[in-house]
Amino acid sequence: MAKLSKADVEHVAGLAKLDLTETEINKFLPQLSQILEHVGELGKVDTTDLAPTSQTTGLTNVFREDEVKPSSIDLDGALSGTDNTFNGYFKVEAILTERTDK
Amino acid sequence: MNTKLIPIIGMEIHIEPNTKSKMFCACPQDHFGKAPNTQVCPICLGLPGALPFANYEGIAKTVKLGLALGSKISEFSKFYRKNYFYPDLPKGFQTSQLDSPFCVGGSLNGFAINHIHLEEDAGKLVHETIDGKKCSLVDFNRSGCALIELVTEPVFHDIPSVISFVKELQLVARYIDISGADMEKGSMRLEANISLSEEEKVKSGELPNYKVELKNINSFKFLEKAVSAEIKRQTEAIERGEVLVQETRGYDEVKQSTFSQRSKADAHDYRYFPEADLPPIELTKSQIANIKSQIPELPESKRKRFEEEYKLSKDFADILVSEKARSDYFEEAVKLGQGSSPSAKTVADLMINKKLDEQFPEPAGLVKKIVELTKVEYASTEEVENAVKSVLIENEKAVADYKGGNGNVIGFLIGMTQKKLQGKGSSQIVREKLLEGIQK
Ligand SMILES: [Zn+2]
């Protein structure tokens, strides 16, 4: 497994919207590399005869009827985790960049 | 530059299906005009520990659209987590699809579709200035709503084709009753991917190494303006020798030009992985057949049938078929009018040119009105008598033949009388008067 570079750490931090200091980057670089190496151990398992799966339950087709049911959360409940609200909305700092998705 | 530049356009079209509940929870799907954050629950707010539960109707409506457009339906599908941060996405990922969308391929108006997949919608952002400070407000009523996304191949080379494709898709969605596909209400939203290339390269199937994504197109008018402004911008840039880059742009209606929305940090890196909370879906042949059986006659074949069966002009057929209810009304009126005077053409004409279907909510009312209208135009009894009198004088031989036992001659005499009346005689009265006259 290829070693992580400083740029990789910065990239991952960027995706997580984290601003890291130089010291933090230097601290996390070996830690992240270690994690990757550890997970990389899985690559040693012989999977030639195994079908790929995306889940472990073995379930398929778990569906819900198309019915509206009362929510366990009302407006006050929905907003209860923050003081930053306005007229029933969550209030956040002005979003200046448009999302790239959708 | 002498080589001709050709636009290459691909469309991404989002349609909110008209399910009762959201895609993965039991909150209402219809969020239009509802008070903010009043249709939310732990699942669509992305609270820790919440378990999504797929709404079969959402899947069925996606498959229905695919079947209507000739897509191949995947026997095995799964959902993915598409990870990115944005304040309207409470979980930090959007549940979507990747390598096994419900519908693959298909076409509409002869334009190829890449695939149709199902995902969830995000919340809505409102930008406001409160107490002099700019901020954004978040409403999660739309969060987790079912959202169908249709992606075409980059096969459009002119704007009219794009517009007629989108209009036809809107009509199909309404015919198969999967969505109102209302652009004003946001239940249909458009994005266009645009690039330019030289004619020769387009012919050989070579695609340019960039595309510009135009976002937030919310009306047909807007679509036309935004796409043509972007084509103009790209043409001028290439003529100046600039190299165009992959980016996302919006359209400024006031300036009538597009502007870049890309920021450096927006690199596409969604780290998709399968959503383990939602077991995969294996649609059975009978489920697919059942969905297929609910698809009514589609607009394209209805137009053809209206032209052939009712001998309508292409324009008339187009107008009637552009609203399913109106085309049903028309057929019902024609059926009710059968045997009496109004022809299908008369019904269509009175609906389209006189808007009589608006006056009569029931087709039976329209038919009654038409019968009345045409009656007024019938020749009066006196006119018929006069016409019969001269026909009998002018056709002595035919009259003699009839009296000699050739009953078929009466048809000829009726024809002659109608000719004098310019076809306005009631055939029953003309026959009566002729027989009377002959007996005299
Ligand atoms: Zn919910």
Side-chain angles (χ1 to χ4, degrees), chain A residues 61-89:
Chain A
N61 296 357
V62 179
F63 299 131
R64 183 171 60 78
E65 284 293 306
D66 184 22
E67 281 170 357
V68 172
K69 286 184 186 156
S71 171
S72 61
I73 275 188
D74 62 5
L75 175 63
D76 289 340
L79 299 177
S80 63
T82 178
D83 293 329
N84 294 324
T85 65
F86 182 80
N87 286 350
Y89 288 94

Side-chain angles (χ1 to χ4, degrees), chain B residues 338-408:
Chain B
Q338 242 168 34
S340 65
S341 44
S343 69
K345 264 186 199 162
T346 312
V347 174
D349 181 52
L350 291 172
M351 284 177 69
I352 292 165
N353 292 321
K354 298 262 157 57
K355 304 248 183 296
L356 280 187
D357 52 329
E358 285 171 20
Q359 268 178 52
F360 302 97
E362 294 299 323
L366 174 73
V367 172
K368 211 175 139 210
K369 177 72 182 176
I370 294 174
V371 171
E372 272 171 38
L373 282 177
T374 36
K375 248 189 197 151
V376 177
E377 286 185 9
Y378 278 160
S380 68
T381 311
E382 201 191 340
E383 284 169 329
V384 175
E385 280 171 350
N386 288 337
V388 164
K389 212 180 265 173
S390 26
V391 166
L392 292 180
I393 294 167
E394 288 160 19
N395 298 280
E396 274 180 358
K397 188 180 175 296
V399 175
D401 284 353
Y402 182 82
K403 284 183 174 163
N406 184 356
N408 292 336

